[in-house]
Amino acid sequence: MTTIPGINIHVHMVDVDKHQIRVEAGVLLEKLNTEILPSYGLALSLLAAISEQTIAGAISTGTHGTGYNHGIMATKIVSLELLTGSGEVLQCSDSENPDVFNAALCGLGALGIILTVTIQCEPAFRLHEIQTSTTLDDVLDNLDSNVEGCEHFRFQWYPHTDMVSLSKVNRTEKRITETRSSWFWDKFVGYYALEFSFWLSLFVPSLVPWINRLFFLIFASLPKERVDISHKVFNFECLFKSHVTDWAIPR
């Protein structure tokens, strides 16, 4: 076990053998992914779509990733320190204040302020992602086989069309693949033109089906494949500000 006083204010303890790390609750997932964990050869087992949030915020709101055999991010927390409304600091884990621990893991901040968290990580790994397209009916008809046929599965439906973009992800030992970027397609068309099109649709709502069909054909209709560091595959570019709701629907 290694203790790191003063080297990084975000890191309180690292246990390389157990693949555990204790960090301040306010550290951003992005900083964990790109700076802190790589320096110890570690990675988070799962992530949500974005990493511009704190670890405490992620676990307190039930933030989740994908994967039939994976829980939400809070299931990877070994212990935490909680500052209660009375000023008491509680050490919480499965063996110490277990009721408070379980409640705080998705507590929306109602129990107090989380000060530090100990995260169960794993050795750094790479992911192989295969993206294809199909119809919404096909996805729903084969949902069980899709979900159980890979480690991580997600799909994006383009409203006003019957088309869906599928993503199937598995761990791999393959080398990281090089990706080419194009300012014109990735930024001008994929960001500015799309955002402008959606802005226009506020005044002409009938444009929405045409916009979705067009951008599906440009960016999601062709198969894609890549291998990269885990967090780069788990996360994806959300482009601009979005309004999002999460739903849990039994299969």
Side-chain angles (χ1 to χ4, degrees):
M1 181 178 292
T2 306
T3 303
I4 310 162
I7 295 179
N8 188 321
I9 61 170
H10 295 293
V11 180
H12 287 227
M13 179 277 295
V14 177
D15 188 328
V16 177
D17 295 330
K18 291 184 177 180
H19 307 138
Q20 294 178 356
I21 185 168
R22 183 183 302 130
V23 296
E24 292 179 359
V27 66
L28 288 174
L29 293 178
E30 181 181 23
K31 189 175 184 70
L32 273 174
N33 294 332
T34 60
E35 298 179 28
I36 297 175
L37 293 179
S39 63
Y40 302 104
L42 299 174
L44 297 176
S45 299
L46 70 155
L47 282 165
I50 62 169
S51 287
E52 290 77 16
Q53 57 183 320
T54 65
I55 182 63
I59 64 176
S60 295
T61 55
T63 297
H64 61 87
T66 58
Y68 179 65
N69 294 313
H70 292 274
I72 61 176
M73 291 190 67
T75 61
K76 301 300 180 182
I77 302 303
V78 178
S79 64
L80 57 84
E81 284 183 309
L82 183 72
L83 175 63
T84 68
S86 65
E88 182 182 8
V89 176
L90 297 179
Q91 305 296 325
C92 304
S93 66
D94 281 335
S95 59
E96 193 172 4
N97 297 307
D99 291 340
V100 177
F101 176 63
N102 289 325
L105 287 180
C106 193
L108 301 175
L111 298 182
I113 300 173
I114 299 176
L115 301 177
T116 66
V117 294
T118 302
I119 312 168
Q120 182 62 58
C121 304
E122 61 177 284
F125 59 97
R126 295 186 289 275
L127 291 171
H128 179 203
E129 179 181 31
I130 299 176
Q131 291 180 298
T132 57
S133 61
T134 186
T135 64
L136 181 60
D137 285 341
D138 180 65
V139 172
L140 298 179
D141 289 343
N142 298 282
L143 188 59
D144 286 343
S145 60
N146 281 322
V147 169
E148 298 172 16
C150 58
E151 288 186 70
H152 302 276
F153 172 75
R154 66 187 176 207
F155 70 89
Q156 293 176 289
W157 169 54
Y158 286 70
H160 303 286
T161 78
D162 64 345
M163 300 310 297
V164 166
S165 173
L166 297 181
S167 173
K168 296 183 178 181
V169 177
N170 289 292
R171 293 165 191 250
T172 184
E173 297 296 327
K174 294 180 180 179
R175 292 183 178 181
I176 294 175
T177 54
E178 295 184 7
T179 56
R180 296 180 180 179
S181 60
S182 165
W183 182 89
F184 177 78
W185 288 109
D186 296 339
K187 288 293 183 182
F188 181 76
V189 177
Y191 183 90
Y192 297 112
L194 178 59
E195 185 177 38
F196 179 70
S197 299
F198 282 140
W199 177 78
L200 282 179
S201 72
L202 293 174
F203 308 99
V204 189
S206 60
L207 288 175
V208 172
W210 296 98
I211 294 170
N212 285 348
R213 291 189 190 102
L214 176 62
F215 279 88
F216 172 82
L217 290 173
I218 294 175
F219 292 106
S221 61
L222 297 178
K224 299 176 184 177
E225 190 172 348
R226 64 168 172 157
V227 174
D228 213 330
I229 301 169
S230 57
H231 72 85
K232 292 185 177 182
V233 177
F234 282 140
N235 289 164
F236 64 86
E237 179 58 67
C238 293
L239 297 178
F240 23 80
K241 184 178 179 180
S242 305
H243 298 282
V244 179
T245 60
D246 276 14
W247 298 76
I249 303 173
R251 289 196 288 142

